[in-house]
Amino acid sequence: MSEHNQTRIAVVGAAGMLGGALVRLLQESRRPFVALTRRELDLERLDRIAPALSQAGVGAVINASAYSDVNGAERDDQRELAFRINRDVPGALARTCKELSIPLLHVSTDFVFDGKADRPYREDDPTCAVQAYGRSKLEGEWAVQEVLPGALIARTSTLYGPGERERPHYVDAILRQAREKNRIEVVEKPVSSPTYAPDLAGWLLALLDLGAGGILHTVNAGHCSRFQLAGAAVEEAGYAGRVEVAIRPAPPATLERPDFSPLDTTLLAETLGRPPRPWREALREYVGRYHAPGS
Ligand SMILES: NC(=O)c1ccc[n+]([C@@H]2O[C@H](COP(=O)([O-])OP(=O)(O)OC[C@H]3O[C@@H](n4cnc5c(N)ncnc54)[C@H](OP(=O)(O)O)[C@@H]3O)[C@@H](O)[C@H]2O)c1
């Protein structure tokens, strides 16, 4: 075990989809960590962040927390909260990490882009968020960079993984429908890089161990449309013969979202020394483990 593996890591947002995957991986690999959920640390109380991390005696912080309701962030009564959690919390975490001289790994999103590209986005492509959620996450990146220019900011996309959620992720939502119906209708877009939360958790720990810094795109390799993702999930679950997946027209947009936001993984592969596995392979593992008949 390397010296880094003994570092006690604080997982902020430990009850979320990524937070849960990080906690499971840290437990499995017997690494020291402290899981901070809303119960241990209400992030709305920015003044509680520094004392909580100081008392926890940690040597690194991973911020897996977010206000992640993209539609909710547009609401007048929610926007301030979205910016507090997605911009002010990362800023406060960065200030605390600087004071404690410990690394911060912050997680961001493909929604910092407008989706008008004709190839997967690279880390240094110009950002342009087109809705409040993306803007709040982009300002979170800036808040971290202002205080800790060397901090690692890992952008990810279209997460899915194990765990019960109030709002099921796309793959679970599709497979729930597929159990009950013979025909599922989905909108074709957007095109993005679906990413398996346990894979992301593994890369994040490896990147922390490597002392990586700056912006990195951390997604499974390749990309697909929502229609293709739904079809692939149905196939992997063994429903393809019974369930037809069809395209339905997109409803009038109430909110601008990037139509095309795949993330380029060249830099991730170079930094890790191995490419991330393709999205379809990761999806196969997830569906096989968590959606097998009788599971
Ligand atoms: N999900 C995606 O498709 C996706 C795509 C691109 C990027 N990302 C990014 O990936 C990261 C992880 O996303 P995720 O899907 O794992 O998010 P998630 O499941 O929504 O988890 C976010 C966590 O943040 C916690 N949190 C929010 N407000 C809090 C507060 N006031 N005090 C304490 N905790 C609070 C939530 O706690 P509660 O459980 O108590 O509410 C939740 O556990 C985020 O940075 C997100 O922006 C996600």
Side-chain angles (χ1 to χ4, degrees):
M1 195 182 272
S2 78
E3 185 194 325
H4 285 300
N5 288 348
Q6 295 305 327
T7 304
R8 189 167 145 92
I9 298 170
V11 180
V12 177
M17 182 158 41
L18 172 59
L22 280 162
V23 165
R24 280 188 293 277
L25 185 57
L26 286 160
Q27 276 167 341
E28 279 162 24
S29 46
R30 297 170 188 270
R31 294 177 61 149
F33 70 95
V34 52
L36 298 171
T37 69
R38 195 183 288 265
R39 205 176 40 194
E40 289 80 33
L41 174 60
D42 180 357
L43 296 166
E44 283 186 59
R45 296 290 312 268
L46 292 178
D47 58 319
R48 297 269 169 88
I49 290 178
L53 290 177
S54 305
Q55 280 158 24
V58 292
V61 174
I62 301 180
N63 180 25
S65 76
Y67 179 99
S68 50
D69 180 351
V70 179
N71 291 312
E74 295 297 316
R75 284 174 30 196
D76 288 342
D77 62 340
Q78 291 287 296
R79 198 168 304 130
E80 197 186 318
L81 177 61
F83 275 84
R84 197 169 328 142
I85 302 301
N86 292 346
R87 176 194 58 201
D88 300 344
V89 166
L93 288 170
R95 284 192 293 279
T96 302
C97 287
K98 186 175 181 182
E99 215 151 274
L100 298 173
S101 298
I102 61 174
L104 170 65
L105 194 169
H106 174 62
V107 181
S108 191
T109 171
D110 54 337
F111 275 44
V112 298
F113 296 114
D114 62 9
K116 309 254 186 284
D118 55 7
R119 54 151 176 80
Y121 283 97
R122 294 196 277 261
E123 284 78 355
D124 56 359
D125 280 329
T127 52
C128 177
V130 291
Q131 72 304 97
Y133 167 77
R135 183 79 198 169
S136 69
K137 293 292 294 183
L138 181 57
E139 292 191 18
E141 292 187 2
W142 295 342
V144 169
Q145 284 170 325
E146 195 183 318
V147 181
L148 285 177
L152 179 59
I153 296 176
R155 291 186 186 137
T156 194
S157 173
T158 322
L159 285 183
Y160 64 92
E164 282 299 310
R165 319 233 68 82
E166 209 174 291
R167 283 177 293 130
H169 54 69
Y170 188 76
V171 174
D172 276 3
I174 290 296
L175 292 179
R176 272 182 206 182
Q177 287 187 61
R179 266 184 238 123
E180 290 157 15
K181 300 179 185 172
N182 292 329
R183 182 182 160 90
I184 303 174
E185 293 190 346
V186 300
V187 295
E188 185 179 11
K189 288 183 178 169
V191 174
S192 67
S193 303
T195 298
Y196 186 35
D199 281 7
L200 175 58
W203 305 323
L204 295 185
L205 293 188
L207 292 167
L208 202 59
D209 290 348
L210 288 166
I215 293 174
L216 257 185
H217 287 173
T218 49
V219 290
N220 282 116
H223 54 266
C224 64
S225 68
R226 284 293 192 278
F227 170 62
Q228 290 168 321
L229 180 56
V234 164
E235 266 178 46
E236 296 299 348
Y239 299 138
R242 175 179 64 77
V243 180
E244 180 195 356
V245 181
I247 295 179
R248 70 174 153 84
T254 51
L255 171 63
E256 210 182 325
R257 288 170 183 255
D259 262 353
F260 181 88
S261 60
L263 299 180
D264 185 292
T265 53
T266 308
L267 190 56
L268 176 65
E270 277 171 21
T271 310
L272 287 176
R274 59 187 157 90
R277 63 175 162 169
W279 68 266
R280 179 76 190 232
E281 199 179 311
L283 180 71
R284 184 170 307 136
E285 177 178 317
Y286 172 66
V287 175
R289 268 194 191 187
Y290 299 100
H291 285 277
S295 69

